[in-house]
Structure formats: structure tokens, C-alpha cells
Amino acid sequence: MVVDELDLSDYSPTTTATTTTTEDDHGCNWNGWSPVVDWDMLSGDHDDFHDLIESMMDDKTMLHHHHPARVLNVHDGCNSAVSPGTVMMMDEEVTNNGGGGQDFKGLRLVHLLMAAAESLTGMNKSRDLARVILVRLKELVSPTDGTNMERLAAYFTEALLGLLEGAGGVHGKHMLNNGPCHRDDHHQTDVLAAFQLLQDMSPYVKFGHFTANQAILEAVGHDRRVHIVDYDIMEGIQWASLMQALVSRKDGPPAPHLRITALSRGGSGRRSIATVQETGRRLVAFAASIGQPFSFHQCRLDSDETFRPTTLKLVRGEALVMNCMLHLPHFSTYRAPDSVASYLSGAKTLNPRLVCLVEEEVGPTMDGGFVGRFMDSLHHYSALYDSLEAGFPMQGRARALVERVFLGPRITGSLARIYRARGDEESCSWGDWLGAVGFHPISITFANHCQAKLLLGLFNDGYRVEELATNKLVLGWKSRRLLSASVWTSPNSEL
Amino acid sequence: MFQSKKPTSMNSTHERVVVVGNTNNNNMCVQGDSGLVLTTDPKPRLRWTVELHERFVDAVTQLGGPDSQYLNINDLSKFLMHHVPPMISYMFSYVAMDLHLYVVSFLLLTSSLYKFSEATPKTIMRVMGVKGLTLYHLKSHLQKFRLGKQPHKEFSDHSSMKDGERASALELQRNTASSSGIIGRSMNDNVHITDAIRMQMEVQRRLHEQLEVQRHLQLRIEAQGKYMQTILEKACQTLAGENMQNSAGYVINHKGMSAGNNQEVGVPNGMKDFGTPPLNFPSLQDLNLYGGGGCQDEQLELQQGMERSSSALLDGFINITDHNNNISQLAGKKRLSPNYTTSGSGANGKSPLIMWSDDLRLQELHGTSASCCIGSQDHDPFIKGDHHHQIQNIGLSMERGSSDIDSSVSDLNYETKPMQLAGGEIKKFDPSARLERPSLRRAQQLSAERMSPIINLPQGRASPFG
């Protein structure tokens, strides 16, 4: 059989060497080479890695250079006994399959990623091996070129690398700050452009916002004063349409006074407070332009992003709504789960009329551990990528921008979260958490459901909305659930 | 004649009557001139024969059923059965979740609804056109008819009925079992249709609601789009402000790279003209910026573009602002003509690409210290760094008439982003106007209007691109 050579030389972008020699048996000529990759030992299953390596023998990578191959010795990182290693040699033949090649390649990338994830936390835990694999992956993929799978794999690779270098992910935030996709690195205009694109290309943003807004409208139908506390206001997009809806409301008081309190993260300083203030100004201007009585407030979170209900200014007689958007553009950076937990539990003490929660829907994660959730996350984001591509197959660069600005950091963040929680119990969604804490679900009305369906109708056919529970609408792409919007109320709120 | 208003006054007639024969209530019936069958008892009463009854029913259905307040389902069903091809009425029996079906059914319903009017004795009399039929005849018969159509309903439901009438109604029903039996049977056949029609009514209600929801959704999306625009405008303005400060030092390189057409034009004048006009940011249309229509060979695009556009530079500038006059002095350049093809093959890079990138990159690119390439509104070929850079033509749609485009500076490393020409007056693009599928059409209609300006000033500005 053809053995492949894996070039694991310096972590340089130059790609693997190719030699034209093909070996018929495994370890024959490699005595001269110092390190040997002991694939047999590393993988529990022989065939996996063999296939893996064979799969790596192919096409795509630029085989321009011919370096002498060096194989990294990973013996040291290995735990168990050594058996004669098999060395793979990369064959020069580039198998240029047509369409099948692409799927093949995608599959190989998935295998590689899975192998990397396993080596990070799996049975054969080996950081070096992980590093090896990740380097290899990095050579194979690029964040801006190639198919969806390739770009996705690139981001996952970077995320995994971040995990790797993050020293076990003790300090999640530090790790992310070192990541290449840190949010603040992005130019503000990049962020805006990407946000605009994301909005136009996919229904994710609008779905969450509109569903929540509709629920809010229905809940405060007869109130004169409405107070909304927004966990992450970002640019305040959500409230523009709410204000418009409030202004054109037929029944009830003509235009209730709307008060929005945005939480700003004091800890991260720099942009956050200024951004929130800017958003407030914009909202005020917009409200004035449509004639909506409006006032805007800011509320600072603690340095550790804990929400203290007492810092909130409440007015008697107003309907309180807690808004918590945790989906795509809002969650680009890693938000400590404690922060969200503090927000939601603080919400409980305030007895709001309504709690709107939009979050990412994770698949049923059994006890797959890190790898299981990793694969689930991979599945999730690949569905995301597919959905973006399906709508706009031509606009690769636009999608790449969105991926870079939003999806990449998000991938990093969620992987970090998964990694941190790998030893813990299963992470449940915030919706379940709300239910467990004592909030009561409010059912999604027909109008809301209908609006969601109509909204999706504006986009690609593959999107679908389903009503998972009486109070939860889930947006999905083809067969994969992506976003869920749920509506809750406090059991003690005066309704 | 039987013009008397009360049935009891039939006695006074001296009409020639014809004995019809016995009916099951053993009354002699005679038929008058008008074709009405009367009983011969001291109080001649109108005998509702099957034939007459059918005419009555027809008239009632034409008028919208015996219940004048609301549609009578049975009548509607019968009406539909008669007037609508069976296939469609069968379709009605399915509660489809498809909006189209709703629309169809709704339209059909409404069209049929228009024919309905109130079924009162007066109107029935008019419609039937039977002489000798009085309002009282019709009134009582109508009541009985209503009762008869709902055999399950309690007679007590009809509050308008008096006891006596109710009793007589019962009796009448029994008595006219033979004649009404046929009618009843045909009514029972319609039970399924009844249910279907009931569902149909439900569907119609839902349809109304859906239309409402759709209207609201449209408004909300519009509002969101407007708001988004304000954001982008402000961002643009801030960038424009920064840009102005550095305008002096700029050298605009017109697609220097690939095409080798290095036209350098000092732009200070033009840039000064940038005020803060309203800016429309590119919307989805700008996706073409990124996509280039999938044309991989962007070099080719670039070259094409370059060939076409003579005055690379400031087409973007030109088109952008209100101050066209000012700009015109910059160039006798023609406006970016709307031959922007939005198709994927990438629009011709008509306008100059002015790239704002950091020193380093541009230096290696052009060898100039600070060169800015501003993608013109029409399209932005993005020069990506070195020779491998690809200029992406933005297929900004001129279709939208957006002559003003935000050029976007590309991230030289990654993709190019449309760059907002500072102070450019972007044609107002109403993003909310499109609620259609954002398919190729949207992609085609790129107007750089909503692109946020990405102006990376060369000096002393950290490149965000990597």
C-alpha cells in the first residue's frame, strides 16, 4: 500500500513535502528517520488513523515544495507502549476527484478535527498530538478559501489551537483575548458591515428580535409604561421595530412610554460604555423621529459581569420586560455563564411581566463529553454556514466577512465554554434553566408563529420554524435546530 | 287574488281552484292560478309542495341562506356545490397551511360572498317571483326552513319562535316529511362539506390574521432598516470626519496593482467636498461586493473594469456627493454609468478602487507611501495586497439607480469590504422595499449604500486586517 508521509516539520505554512517514492510496507525505510509517528499506538482503532492519514494524502494542499520529510516524534507524549510505528508518506499523486473529492475532503477534515478534539481531551490525551494534528489542519484549510467545510474547519482549528495554548482553558477569557478573532480587533466598520450582511443574508437576527418583540407587544398591550431591560443591546436594532410597532398600535394606549435600560459591561471598559451610550443616543433620535415617547438608561454591570437588580431603577406601574438575546451577533465574545445566570436570576427577583430569551439551540448532548459536544458544535456551525451559503452562493467574500467577524469568535467562545464544562454535568439550555427556576412559560401566539413563518419565507427555503414547546419557537436549517426563542413570565408578576 | 296579507283571508278568494288531491294530512288541496297549492280547509293554507319548496330553497341560497346575519354553512355549501367546480370545493375541505391556498379560498369566498345578501321574506318573494306568495307565507316557511336545516339544534334555540309556532313547525316538519325528506337527505350529504366549510371559515379567519401579521412585519422590517441606516450613516460620518483630516496626504491609486494603470490623482479637493450628506449604506446588494458573482478570476474582472473605467479615481467621489459640481472639476470623469452588471461575473470595475490600507501593504503594493483606493460606488474592485490580490468588482446595482456607492476598502488580507466614500451622497436606497426573497435579485442590486465605510487611514492606524 502506499504509505504517506506526513510532514510535521516546523509549524510553517509551507506545506508538506511530497516524495514520489511509494513504499509498499510500513516501516521499511524509515529507520533512517529519527522520529516516528506511532499511529497505531495513538489510535484506539487502527483503521481510523490509517484512513485519516490516507485521507490526508491528498489533493488540496499545495504540493509545491519538496522538502525532506521529517516526522515528529510523539513518543514522548504517548502514554502506552510503543508498537512499531507506521510512517505514512505523502504520495505525490494528487487524487483529483471531482465533486466526490470535495465531500471526501470535508470528511477528512471532520476526521481530523475529531482526532484533534479527542487528543485534547479524549482517552489518549496528548497535547502534542493535538498540536500536530492542528498544525496539519491549519495547512489544509484557510479561513477565506475553499468550501464551507474548509472554512469552518479553519475556524475550528483556530479555536482548538486557542484551547491548546490556553493552558487547559483555566482562564477562558485570557485565552480568547489571545485568539485571532477577538472581537475588539475588528474595526468598527467591519463589525457594522458584517452585521448588516448577517441581517440581510439570514433570518437569525430578525427571527430572535421579532419574536421577542411580538411577545412583548402582546404582553404589554394595555400598559402605559413599559420598561425593558436589555442584557446586550449592541446597536439597539431590536428596539427600532418594537418602537414602530408600539407607535402604530391600534388598541390600548396610543403610544406607551418606553424606557429601555441597557446593561453595559463596566469591566471591559473602552468600547462598551461608549457604545451603549451611542446606541442610546441613536435610539432616542429614532424614537423622536417616529413619535414614540422614550427614555434611555444605562446600568453598569459589575466587573465580573454580575447583574445586581438593585442597580436598576424601577418605576411603579410600569410593565417590566427582561430581554436576553444570546444568539448570533450578540454573543460574539465569550460571555461567562455566570453573568447570564446572574441576569436571569436577578430577573426573577424583579418579577418581570415578561422574559424573552433567544439562544442557540444545542443538540441533545448525551455523554459525549467534550468530543461529543464538539461534534455537535461542528454540526451546528456547519448548518449555519450552509444556510448562509444556500442563500447567497455567490457572495463568498461577504460570507467570509461575516464568518470572520461573528462566527469565528463565536466558535471560539462556544468551544471554550464546552471545554470548560467538559468535566461537568450536561449543560442545559437557558430555557430549561428558566423553567427550572420557576418562570412560567407563555405560549407563543398564532400571530407570532405566523410572523416567524412569514419572515422565513423571505429567505431561503431551507429554514423552518417549529414550535417545540408552547412558549418556544425554534428556527432551524433543514434538519438542524439553530436558534430558539422562548417567552417566560414571572409567576408573581401582576398580569 | 291571493293578495291578502293574512293566510286567513284566503277565504275570500273566489279564485278558480283546481282540486289537487289528497295529501297525507288528508286535506284537499287546490291549485290556484298562481300555481300555488292551497288547502281546502276553512283556513286555506298554502301547501308547500316539493316543487315550491325547491324554488324557495333556491331563492334562499341565492340570497345567502336563511340566516341573514351570517352565512349559513349548508347553503354556502350547496351554493358552492352548484356554482363552483367540485374540485375546488373539495379543496376547501382541506385546511391547508399554505398562504396561497388561503388566498385562493379567500378570494373565492369573497367573490361568492358578494352575491349573498340578506334572505328576508321580501327578498325571497322577489327572487322567487311566484304570484300569490305572501310575506307571511314566506316568513313562516323561512322559519321552519331554518329549523329544518338544523335538525340537531334544539328548537328552543330559536328565541324568536313562539311556542305555538314551534309546535306547528314540528308538526310541519313531520307532516312534510316526505317533501322535506329529500331535502333533508341532501342536507345530510353535506355534513362533510359542512365541516369542511367550517374549517374553511376558520382558515379564513386565520388568513385575515396572517395578512395583518404580514403587514405589520413589513412595517417592522422597514423600521429596522431605517434604524440600521442611521447607524451606518453615523459611522460613515465619523469616518468621513477622520478622513477629512488626512485627505491631504492621500494619493489615490487607481487600480495600480494589477492593471498597472497607476493613475495618481491628488484628491484633496474632492475630499474636501465631502460634507456629511446622507449616506446610504450598501445593503444586501453590496453582497456583490463580496461575492463578485462568484467569479473566481477577479484579476480578470479587475482588468476589465479598468479598461472600462477611464478615470478610475473619483468616480466614487463624483457620484457620491451632492456636490457634483465640485467633483466634476475633479474629473471630467463620467459618472459611473449604470452598466454595472450585477451578475456574478463581477461588475466591471468602473470606478477607481481607492484602497485604504496601511502603509505597509500599500507600499509593497504600489510602492507609494500612502495610497488609498476607494472603491467606487459602482463597484469596488478590491485590491488585495500583492499580485494575488483580487479586485472584486462590486456589482452594485445601477438598477436601483443608486449612483452613489460606498466604496469599500477591502481587507487586504481577507476579503474586501465595500468602502464608504466619505461624505458621499449615497443614493437613498430603501432596503425595506424589498421583502422578496433575497435571492440573486437582491444580490444583484447591490448598492454600496449600506456598507459601512471602512476607511483605514494609512498613517498611524493599525490595520484591522490582520
Side-chain angles (χ1 to χ4, degrees), chain A residues 428-451:
Chain A
C428 61
S429 67
W430 289 113
D432 300 337
W433 191 88
L434 279 180
V437 167
F439 284 95
H440 292 171
I442 291 189
S443 46
I444 302 273
T445 63
F446 171 75
N448 212 342
H449 196 163
C450 182
Q451 176 181 256

Side-chain angles (χ1 to χ4, degrees), chain B residues 225-281:
Chain B
K226 268 194 305 190
Y227 183 76
M228 197 66 203
Q229 262 188 357
T230 65
I231 298 180
L232 297 173
E233 282 173 12
K234 286 225 182 90
C236 210
Q237 285 168 13
T238 41
L239 286 170
E242 293 167 351
N243 183 33
M244 301 277 281
Q245 299 165 10
N246 298 309
S247 63
Y250 283 161
V251 174
I252 309 231
N253 189 341
H254 169 45
K255 298 184 194 161
M257 282 310 303
S258 353
N261 262 355
N262 279 341
Q263 302 177 12
E264 292 180 286
V265 175
V267 202
N269 288 338
M271 308 247 316
K272 283 188 207 129
D273 292 333
F274 294 153
T276 56
L279 300 168
N280 291 338
F281 277 76

Side-chain angles (χ1 to χ4, degrees), chain A residues 94 108 138 189 231:
Chain A
V94 174
R108 283 191 299 274
K138 226 174 138 124
T189 49
Y231 180 67

Side-chain angles (χ1 to χ4, degrees), chain A residues 221-295:
Chain A
H222 300 284
D223 287 283
R224 309 204 73 91
R225 302 187 64 88
V226 183
H227 182 198
I228 300 182
V229 180
D230 196 355
Y231 180 67
D232 184 8
I233 196 166
M234 271 190 63
E235 309 294 339
I237 291 281
Q238 177 179 2
W239 310 119
S241 59
L242 179 70
M243 281 195 234
Q244 191 278 332
L246 282 176
V247 163
S248 56
R249 178 163 91 165
K250 301 281 186 346
D251 52 335
H257 181 87
L258 178 66
R259 193 153 75 89
I260 293 186
T261 300
L263 301 186
S264 60
R265 271 125 204 112
S268 57
R270 328 159 250 167
R271 308 175 63 105
S272 173
I273 298 184
T275 319
V276 173
Q277 280 175 348
E278 178 64 30
T279 301
R281 278 195 287 273
R282 271 202 296 269
L283 282 174
V284 167
F286 185 79
S289 76
I290 62 172
Q292 163 74 36
F294 177 74
S295 62

Side-chain angles (χ1 to χ4, degrees), chain A residues 178-492:
Chain A
N178 298 334
C181 306
H182 188 93
R183 179 179 182 168
D184 288 345
D185 285 347
H186 296 136
H187 198 275
Q188 177 65 12
T189 49
D190 284 4
V191 175
L192 274 181
F195 183 57
Q196 171 73 27
L197 287 172
L198 178 67
Q199 268 206 90
D200 286 341
M201 287 200 287
S202 67
Y204 299 117
V205 180
K206 290 200 172 89
F207 170 77
H209 289 172
F210 282 13
T211 307
N213 285 349
Q214 179 68 23
I216 294 177
L217 279 171
E218 289 157 4
V220 301
H222 300 284
D223 287 283
R224 309 204 73 91
R225 302 187 64 88
V226 183
H227 182 198
I228 300 182
V229 180
D230 196 355
Y231 180 67
D232 184 8
I233 196 166
M234 271 190 63
E235 309 294 339
I237 291 281
Q238 177 179 2
W239 310 119
S241 59
L242 179 70
M243 281 195 234
Q244 191 278 332
L246 282 176
V247 163
S248 56
R249 178 163 91 165
K250 301 281 186 346
D251 52 335
H257 181 87
L258 178 66
R259 193 153 75 89
I260 293 186
T261 300
L263 301 186
S264 60
R265 271 125 204 112
S268 57
R270 328 159 250 167
R271 308 175 63 105
S272 173
I273 298 184
T275 319
V276 173
Q277 280 175 348
E278 178 64 30
T279 301
R281 278 195 287 273
R282 271 202 296 269
L283 282 174
V284 167
F286 185 79
S289 76
I290 62 172
Q292 163 74 36
F294 177 74
S295 62
F296 181 81
H297 305 274
Q298 249 188 345
C299 173
R300 286 197 35 175
L301 287 179
D302 289 350
S303 51
D304 57 345
E305 301 204 3
T306 316
F307 172 63
R308 308 238 177 265
T310 49
T311 55
L312 210 54
K313 190 174 63 164
L314 293 177
V315 170
R316 180 185 299 279
E318 64 184 7
L320 182 64
V321 175
M322 312 286 288
N323 189 55
C324 189
M325 298 275 146
L326 299 175
H327 65 294
L328 245 180
H330 292 267
F331 212 46
S332 289
T333 52
Y334 179 65
R335 297 245 177 270
D338 297 336
S339 174
V340 180
S342 74
Y343 179 71
L344 293 176
S345 49
K348 185 140 202 317
T349 66
L350 294 171
N351 286 332
R353 173 79 60 87
L354 199 72
V355 176
C356 307
L357 177 73
V358 175
E359 59 176 346
E360 279 195 340
E361 182 87 354
V362 291
T365 57
M366 295 306 120
D367 28 289
F370 176 72
V371 181
R373 294 197 202 136
F374 176 82
M375 295 309 292
D376 181 70
S377 170
L378 191 63
H379 189 197
H380 183 279
Y381 285 102
S382 75
L384 257 178
Y385 272 59
D386 284 346
S387 71
L388 285 181
E389 183 187 33
F392 299 92
M394 296 305 187
Q395 281 72 32
R397 299 198 182 279
R399 285 183 282 126
L401 174 66
V402 171
E403 291 157 13
R404 183 170 67 85
V405 172
F406 287 122
L407 295 184
R410 209 184 167 104
I411 291 175
T412 315
S414 55
L415 279 197
R417 210 172 348 125
I418 298 178
Y419 189 68
R420 275 171 58 140
R422 72 191 180 285
D424 308 343
E425 68 293 342
E426 290 195 18
S427 61
C428 61
S429 67
W430 289 113
D432 300 337
W433 191 88
L434 279 180
V437 167
F439 284 95
H440 292 171
I442 291 189
S443 46
I444 302 273
T445 63
F446 171 75
N448 212 342
H449 196 163
C450 182
Q451 176 181 256
K453 279 198 279 210
L454 283 174
L455 179 67
L456 292 190
L458 297 176
F459 294 88
N460 196 283
D461 269 340
Y463 293 106
R464 47 185 196 97
V465 64
E466 51 182 325
E467 199 166 315
L468 267 194
T470 55
N471 70 331
K472 189 151 98 155
L473 277 186
V474 170
L475 167 71
W477 168 257
K478 301 254 160 97
S479 63
R480 170 82 201 187
R481 301 195 181 120
L482 293 173
L483 269 190
S484 82
S486 53
V487 185
W488 308 83
T489 184
S490 163
N492 306 326

